[in-house]
Amino acid sequence: MSKDLRIILSGGGTGGHIYPAIAIADEVKRRYPDAKIKFVGAQDKMEMEKVPQAGYEIEGLWISGLQRKLTLKNLMFPFKLLNSISKSKKIIKDFKPNVAIGTGGFASGPLLHVANKQEIPTLLQEQNSFPGITNKILAKKANVICAAYDEVKRFFPKEKVKKTGNPVRQDLLNIDTKREEAQNFFNLNNNKKTVLVLGGSLGARRVNQLVAQHSDRLKQEDVQLIWQCGKLYYEDYKSYTEGNVQVHQFLNRMDLAYAAADVIISRAGAGSVSELCIVGKPVIFIPSPNVAEDHQTKNAMAVTKNDAAITIGENELEEKFENTFFDLLNNESQQKKLGVNIKKMALPNATADIVDEIEKLIIRKA
């Protein structure tokens, strides 16, 4: 393959679109240290901070999604789109990529649209079991679509879909060996059950309320709790830290948090679900109802239908959560069954498999 390899990646708005793109870029760099890599994102979104932190350059487009109701932002959308297409043309003309990769989010729309028009090979990475609007539009012209779930074949041309899984952090692949290190790190008692609660980096208001509501029962059961409440809610819940309960704004060592856990309560973002399949622990998913096209519920149900996790909707928490959670906590055979079944769904080589597909596209075009 040419030494002058040039790859452009676009996607963002949320960590679920950004971190897979960074993982793909890292694997390309590992294989081709001289490769030139450029990111394109939305100019006011978190990728403008996260991508440079990962060591890559990024250009921002003036783009945002359509709101579900009539707003000034919606009236601006056609102007933003035209501006972003024009800027994408200039970026592609100057950078001359061999391939363009989209990981979802509105920023990837204009860039991959221009790449398709110019017959530059394009690859989409779809994290969710139900695709977003941008990837649905781009799929018609894309060369390859790397997916994490079989369900997406209903929405995309089947012959283009490769089931690779979602890129995940590599330090999760051997968490089975880290239990003792994890217990020391979090100062845990080996003879007590440990529950890990994950609400995402910003936090999940309803999940936090739920844990606070059941904190007395958790104390009665003598359960250890690692509670990642998110930076938006830390001030509200930090006072719950005492005894067996530790409240964290953010967990820097996710591998050790997973290794320490006996049972996990989590949102169902695509990245989290892919990680939890690799971790292989019993999980209760509480999907966020506040995401586009109810992605999280569909992600969670894709696992739950294989008897590999439990899903409880936010609207069912009052009636179902307490019995479901404490029954699971005290039922080791059910814990084992869920852990074994979710691990069967893991696709731990996703990043390498996606970069293999990128290589094939470049060789075919050469």
Side-chain angles (χ1 to χ4, degrees):
M1 199 172 293
S2 158
K3 270 180 75 73
D4 188 28
L5 183 60
R6 307 174 81 81
I7 291 182
I8 202 160
L9 295 111
S10 185
T14 67
H17 296 311
I18 298 163
Y19 295 120
I22 290 170
I24 292 166
D26 287 346
E27 176 64 12
V28 169
K29 269 292 191 196
R30 192 187 68 75
R31 295 187 194 187
Y32 304 101
D34 295 332
K36 303 282 189 300
I37 295 175
K38 182 187 279 285
F39 281 73
V40 175
Q43 65 187 20
D44 56 349
K45 296 292 185 182
M46 66 188 282
E47 55 265 31
M48 302 309 290
E49 178 190 341
K50 299 296 180 189
V51 169
Q53 281 174 1
Y56 297 102
E57 62 175 82
I58 184 166
E59 290 203 43
L61 302 178
W62 186 44
I63 190 75
S64 58
L66 282 164
Q67 311 296 306
R68 293 182 183 208
K69 52 187 185 293
L70 190 64
T71 64
L72 183 61
K73 274 189 174 176
N74 277 358
L75 296 176
M76 294 297 292
F77 181 77
F79 302 101
K80 289 182 174 185
L81 185 61
L82 289 171
N83 180 283
S84 295
I85 288 172
S86 173
K87 187 164 182 186
S88 294
K89 284 178 182 171
K90 183 175 186 325
I91 290 168
I92 284 178
K93 184 183 174 199
D94 292 346
F95 189 68
K96 301 181 180 64
N98 301 96
V99 65
I101 299 150
T103 59
F106 296 102
S108 62
L111 187 91
L112 268 80
H113 168 76
V114 171
N116 285 328
K117 285 271 192 202
Q118 298 190 11
E119 297 188 351
I120 292 160
T122 59
L123 177 144
L124 299 181
Q125 199 263 321
E126 176 53 63
Q127 298 94 29
N128 292 289
S129 61
F130 189 93
I133 189 166
T134 307
N135 276 0
K136 277 187 189 167
I137 294 166
L138 293 171
K140 297 179 182 71
K141 296 281 178 66
N143 298 80
V144 180
I145 301 158
C146 291
Y149 296 95
D150 292 316
E151 282 80 356
V152 300
K153 290 178 181 169
R154 292 189 295 133
F155 305 97
F156 295 142
K158 286 188 184 57
E159 69 281 1
K160 294 182 181 182
V161 176
K162 308 280 183 195
K163 189 179 175 187
T164 57
N166 287 323
V168 297
R169 45 191 121 204
Q170 297 303 292
D171 60 4
L172 301 185
L173 300 181
N174 60 344
I175 68 151
D176 295 348
T177 65
K178 297 183 178 180
R179 178 86 173 180
E180 192 179 334
E181 183 188 353
Q183 287 175 330
N184 291 333
F185 183 84
F186 287 106
N187 201 18
L188 299 169
N189 182 335
N190 192 26
N191 299 315
K192 295 180 182 180
K193 286 263 168 56
T194 300
V195 176
L196 171 64
V197 177
L198 300 171
S201 54
L202 295 177
R205 186 168 63 101
R206 187 67 189 91
V207 174
N208 288 331
Q209 289 171 343
L210 183 76
V211 178
Q213 186 183 332
H214 294 284
S215 60
D216 288 343
R217 173 91 190 262
L218 285 161
K219 280 178 195 163
Q220 283 167 23
E221 302 267 348
D222 206 20
V223 171
Q224 297 173 131
L225 182 64
I226 301 172
W227 177 5
Q228 185 258 313
C229 68
K231 67 178 181 184
L232 294 181
Y233 302 101
Y234 184 65
E235 291 304 315
D236 297 338
Y237 294 102
K238 66 182 181 183
S239 62
Y240 282 81
T241 295
E242 63 163 336
N244 287 338
V245 177
Q246 40 185 294
V247 181
H248 299 267
Q249 181 170 323
F250 187 75
L251 292 166
N252 288 315
R253 288 298 304 271
M254 277 307 304
D255 58 327
L256 297 184
Y258 286 135
D262 295 296
V263 173
I264 298 168
I265 297 170
S266 177
R267 285 303 205 193
S272 298
V273 174
S274 295
E275 287 188 357
L276 288 162
C277 289
I278 285 169
V279 166
K281 300 278 178 90
V283 182
I284 295 177
F285 287 119
I286 302 174
S288 169
N290 310 314
V291 293
E293 285 125 349
D294 202 17
H295 278 149
Q296 290 205 4
T297 300
K298 295 177 176 86
N299 294 341
M301 292 312 297
V303 180
T304 297
K305 73 176 189 187
N306 292 317
D307 206 8
I310 295 167
T311 297
I312 307 177
E314 280 200 0
N315 59 346
E316 307 171 301
L317 288 172
E318 289 304 325
E319 56 183 294
K320 283 190 180 176
F321 176 78
E322 186 164 4
N323 287 342
T324 305
F325 170 68
F326 287 103
D327 287 352
L328 175 62
L329 194 66
N330 296 308
N331 185 338
E332 296 210 351
S333 66
Q334 192 191 11
Q335 289 175 29
K336 187 162 190 208
K337 180 186 74 174
L338 292 177
V340 167
N341 288 350
I342 198 170
K343 190 126 189 163
K344 286 178 189 164
M345 299 182 70
L347 294 163
N349 302 316
T351 314
D353 291 347
I354 292 165
V355 177
D356 288 349
E357 294 298 329
I358 294 167
E359 288 181 336
K360 288 179 202 168
L361 280 182
I362 294 167
I363 289 164
R364 214 179 301 157
K365 178 76 174 172

